[in-house]
Amino acid sequence: MEPFPGMQSVYEKWESRNRGTIARLQSSRGKQAWQNKFGDSLSRPVHRRIRDKRNTQSNGIIGLPGTGSLLGQFKVTPTILPDVSCRRPFLGRCCAKCLPISRQMYFDNDITEIAGLQDVLKVELDQSFRSRGIIMRPFCHITHVITCDNSHKYHDVTKAVLNSFRVNEAIEKTRDEDKPKRQLEKRAQSLVLTLKAKISKTLVRLTAWVLLKILGRILSSIQVQEGQMAMVKQASQSDSPLLFLPIHRSHLDYILIAFILFNHNIKIPYVAAGDNLNIPFFSSLMKGLGGFFIRRRLDQTPGKKDLIYRAVLHSYMAALLERGAYMEFFIEGGRSRTGKALKPKGGLLSVVVDTYVDGHCPDLQIVPISISYEKILDGNFKREQMGELKIPETFFGAIKAIWRVLTSSYGSVRVDFAQPFSLQEYMESASTSGSTPIRRNSIPNKPTKDHLKRVGSGSSLYGTDIVLEDQRQMVNQLANHIIHTCVQTQPMMSTSLLAFLLLNKHRQGVSMVELVASFDWLKQEVLNHNHDIGFVGETQDVIEYAATLLRDELVSVEIKQKASNTPEYNNNVDNIFLTPTTTLPNVFELAYYSNTVITVFQLESVIACSICAVADLDLFTCQGQSSEECTISRNEVLEKASLLCDYLQYDFTFVSPCQDLQLELSDALEKLVNGSIIEVVKNEMTGDRRDQEYAQRLAKSFAQNDSDEEDGGEIDQQYTINLTDGECIEKFKFLQNVLSPFIETYWLVAFSLTKLLHSDKPETEFIKEVHQYAFDRVEKGMAYFAESVSMDCIKNAMKVYQHLKITEVYFNGNRNDTKMIGLQDRYNDRETLQMFIHSIECFRM
């Protein structure tokens, strides 16, 4: 029995109106999906509420105009949005080695039973309100906002800051420079008033209502895991303040976390924001919601520290935490321009650790957070990646950006809260692992000066003036641990998987049939690597939906036409072809989405590139060669892999500080063996050797710090590369492609260092020369990866070479505001420099 009388004729009429589009392929599938899900019943599904009308203006499928009809909706929407009833992998657990106690806190079997997703935009009213029916329905958002608990207390800490030991000490030190004390005290007071947030409970409620309305129009959903929110809720009921540390992707991040917490009756945090957002109206709004603005540059005069500002900032944060306030800041410092997590900056985190060490706060619960967008709201960063200056934020620029956002659709957002962990436990664990114990101060108003060492804040955007050297190293390890947790917790969105496949596996374009198979394979690989995915649905529908969000500028979709232009031919999915944009500057935007997925394969890609470096192998010309011709040594591969990880340390977080990189690389090597990409050279001792290697790795994983004097070193296993199996070679090429754009950039920068032989240059001028050289190579067709022009990657390569003491950066003696770059004495020799360049070049494709 047909669910609607005469439905077949309706389908035929609908098909004829949409001939020539991908949407024509949905008819039979949509009809069958409806019948499979709802049977022959005509009743509306009970879980569909009136709120679902908010996105009827856009269906999200290529070539279809917006429609609010029931037929159009079931054809285009049900299979794309995340299924809130679907059980998700539970990610974000605390580190079992560093935080065994925190790992057991707030987590039990009941948490795993509620591992489904919740859409924050879907308001769930209490039964007593729902029973009022038509009277309450139009006011469901207002009712929800009013009933949310916002009775939390927010303290004014102005007096505490001005009376703090740190601020008064800074005033005394600055007073030595013949400045009146009264004038300095007035400046400190002015800084506090400019800095501090003024949370308004009325504004918080009003903003929550506005966001429910606005975000419900531009976003399909804001997804959170119910189990994760249950843990955060439990942590909020403890006596310790909570510190929320999200990765930074969009300006929306500033209010998104507070919005989610408010909707779960959790106290909203004070949020540290850069002073670039201190613009009329928006600054007042953000301060009313808990924002406090921090200078991008702490010191207004180069080479001269602003002691009073640093003391005010430090004391303000410490005073808030001492009174139990929740806090949020972005540990990366600024928004990622590449889609990858940035190397963390330890400045603000060191303030938090100082507060704990000084005895102002008994303990804190730290909550790492990952935020994943299907489509970024801030537009793109193509201008900056092309070397152009960032456009400063202005009032009219913000209005223009808001209007652009309100007239577009941005898909879903997924926010994952990792398991809260105790700062006290981490500090004690880090102290027992070999670092000097950090002793807490028994006098809360005056920091101890035992073992103090002055250090610059050049490695941190918001560095403090004086910190313990051991404490500083511990802060850096903690920051890296948090970033690693955020990255491992982050789910892969549909747009990210599509962009990743198109750039790394199907760069020349691909048919829909082949892309569907690749997408299914990649989705399974993501799950096998203990990551989550941020979507559900039929694969082809997901691909079409993701391609719509990415737009024609990034992914072109066409139907191949032939002489037999018949409806039967055009309805064949074999004829749909997708091609990525790989030209400048749009390739940067596509790479932004793709880079999120790199973390899944980064160690295997390191091993693949290292194998090619050791074997001097070109995968594009080697197919059909005898495997015996390509024998490689395990120790040589791991040595090369460690070197490559050193080079890429500013672009990727390969392991957490408590993990052994060599063990993780060994496991990645085993994955290539299990995938038959490389094969163990068989001999009489092969089985015994592999057993011994496994036993050695297992022993190291349990006791990495124990010295094994009887161990004569790991056995050097030999491998051959499988060059006869075409499928294995394609997988090998894919893994090599993943990191190749970054390796290309690092080689370009290394090669450009020859310009510095016996001749230093201004750093800014040298970076422009490197960028222009990279751009010229792409324009002339000499570079396969246009992404290698990325300005962010060029700057990271410069930082790495300075860190590895290949180059040195200093201020010109005559002009202190001019940064100069030159080669270290050891590398100011052409032969030595060429050896260094070759050490990177061997990894290139």
Side-chain angles (χ1 to χ4, degrees), residues 95-265:
C95 174
K97 180 179 179 181
C98 300
L99 303 160
I101 299 176
S102 295
R103 185 176 174 85
Q104 301 306 319
M105 292 180 64
Y106 317 124
F107 186 87
D108 52 36
N109 292 332
D110 294 337
I111 294 293
T112 59
E113 291 299 321
I114 52 175
L117 295 177
Q118 174 195 0
D119 184 358
V120 180
L121 296 177
K122 287 190 176 181
V123 173
E124 296 288 347
L125 293 179
D126 185 81
Q127 184 64 38
S128 61
F129 286 98
R130 279 185 281 174
S131 63
R132 302 180 190 180
I134 194 170
I135 298 178
M136 295 305 301
R137 284 179 184 174
F139 306 104
C140 62
H141 287 164
I142 296 178
T143 305
H144 170 72
V145 168
I146 292 176
T147 55
C148 283
D149 182 14
N150 193 27
S151 60
H152 314 290
K153 188 174 182 180
Y154 302 99
H155 301 273
D156 185 351
V157 296
T158 303
K159 290 184 179 179
V161 173
L162 293 176
N163 294 330
S164 67
F165 170 81
R166 193 178 295 269
V167 170
N168 284 285
E169 184 183 42
I171 289 175
E172 289 297 327
K173 287 183 178 180
T174 310
R175 187 184 177 187
D176 294 339
E177 301 174 6
D178 298 329
K179 293 184 178 179
K181 182 177 180 180
R182 182 59 183 166
Q183 180 183 345
L184 297 176
E185 289 175 344
K186 285 185 177 181
R187 180 170 183 263
Q189 184 176 7
S190 175
L191 288 173
V192 175
L193 295 177
T194 303
L195 175 71
K196 73 173 186 176
K198 305 171 185 177
I199 295 181
S200 166
K201 296 181 181 180
T202 302
L203 181 61
V204 169
R205 291 194 190 276
L206 178 62
T207 303
W209 175 75
V210 172
L211 289 176
L212 279 171
K213 292 294 185 183
I214 294 179
L215 296 182
R217 291 187 175 277
I218 65 176
L219 297 175
S220 302
S221 61
I222 299 177
Q223 302 289 338
V224 295
Q225 273 207 26
E226 292 179 312
Q228 293 175 350
M229 295 310 302
M231 291 194 299
V232 177
K233 183 70 174 178
Q234 289 184 49
S236 69
Q237 295 169 357
S238 68
D239 296 331
S240 302
L242 267 59
L243 176 63
F244 299 97
L245 298 177
I247 54 177
H248 199 8
R249 295 294 175 269
S250 167
H251 285 317
L252 182 63
D253 300 344
Y254 290 104
I255 57 175
L256 188 59
I257 304 301
F259 175 68
I260 293 172
L261 295 177
F262 174 82
N263 279 274
H264 286 82
N265 300 316

